[in-house]
Amino acid sequence: MTSQKRLLGVWRSMHNRCYNQSQASYANYGARGIAVDPRWHGSQGFKQFLADMGEPLEGQTIERINNDGNYGPDNCRWATRTEQARNKRNNRWLTANGETKTLKDWAASLGCAPAAILYRLRSGMSEQEAVTKPIPGRPNSKLTVEQVKYVRQTYPALTLQAIADELGVSKKTVMNIVHGKIFQDVVI
């Protein structure tokens, strides 16, 4: 059960975002014309807010369904941070095979970074092709699988810098290989 104190904080924060010009977040809410439903104002406003919204599940916070709409029972719901991240004004939405998802979600489906899809789009690929064409394995890698194995076998007998100099890559690249941050799938 969510504490009344936490819900009161949500209710107050919602009002502050919309009406308190000294709040940093005011620019993204009140200054854009976002308001709170009149029934959620005043001495009985908190009770009406609770009656309309109910209590959130663990890990949920208030979200406006339409980002350009006001806070009110018809435009608010309890949502997780992940759900809210999909409902931001600055999300890039792409459609392929009749399915529309955020850039981040398409990248996760494809197993790449969002930047890889953006690069494809800037290079002239259609949205359909950019989010469905498989990403080739390590297209920008300067090292072969054999060289990665060499790094793992040679360190710490040679220093990171010595290995980097020998292979013509940065010390950071060698360190990332040694610590398993890149080339995780390559085993000795």
Side-chain angles (χ1 to χ4, degrees):
M1 181 164 194
T2 307
S3 76
Q4 293 282 319
K5 187 176 182 179
R6 178 177 173 267
L7 290 174
L8 184 60
V10 169
W11 181 77
R12 285 179 175 156
S13 293
M14 174 180 61
H15 280 82
N16 276 330
R17 287 190 290 270
C18 294
Y19 303 113
N20 185 346
Q21 294 182 18
S22 64
Q23 280 281 331
S25 56
Y26 177 81
N28 292 317
Y29 295 87
R32 290 182 46 228
I34 308 298
V36 177
D37 188 294
R39 297 177 313 129
W40 291 358
H41 287 273
S43 60
Q44 296 300 307
F46 179 64
K47 287 181 183 175
Q48 187 61 52
F49 170 73
L50 287 179
D52 288 342
M53 293 297 297
E55 292 195 13
L57 297 175
E58 185 67 33
Q60 291 183 324
T61 60
I62 195 163
E63 173 186 51
R64 286 173 299 116
I65 298 163
N66 172 357
N67 281 320
D68 294 321
N70 293 331
Y71 283 100
D74 296 334
N75 192 42
C76 287
R77 65 180 174 194
W78 297 113
T80 65
R81 295 279 183 200
T82 301
E83 291 167 332
Q84 288 187 29
R86 290 188 179 98
N87 189 23
K88 292 170 55 177
R89 285 184 294 152
N90 64 349
N91 272 340
R92 174 91 182 252
W93 293 89
L94 303 169
T95 302
N97 297 327
E99 186 177 8
T100 302
K101 298 194 286 189
T102 64
L103 173 65
K104 183 176 180 178
D105 288 339
W106 278 117
S109 299
L110 202 53
C112 68
I117 294 174
L118 286 174
Y119 176 79
R120 289 173 158 200
L121 292 169
R122 288 184 192 121
S123 298
M125 272 192 192
S126 67
E127 286 186 7
Q128 174 78 28
E129 189 178 9
V131 300
T132 58
K133 184 178 178 182
I135 301 284
R138 297 187 185 89
N140 299 322
S141 177
K142 294 180 181 178
L143 298 176
T144 65
V145 170
E146 291 74 27
Q147 289 172 317
V148 171
K149 288 179 180 179
Y150 171 78
V151 168
R152 292 198 176 128
Q153 291 168 343
T154 307
Y155 181 81
L158 288 179
T159 66
L160 295 173
Q161 189 62 59
I163 297 169
D165 291 343
E166 183 178 333
L167 296 175
V169 295
S170 71
K171 179 180 172 183
K172 183 171 183 164
T173 297
V174 174
M175 186 170 50
N176 285 336
I177 293 169
V178 169
H179 294 295
K181 293 184 178 179
I182 57 175
F183 292 100
Q184 296 96 336
D185 57 323
V186 177
V187 291
I188 300 174

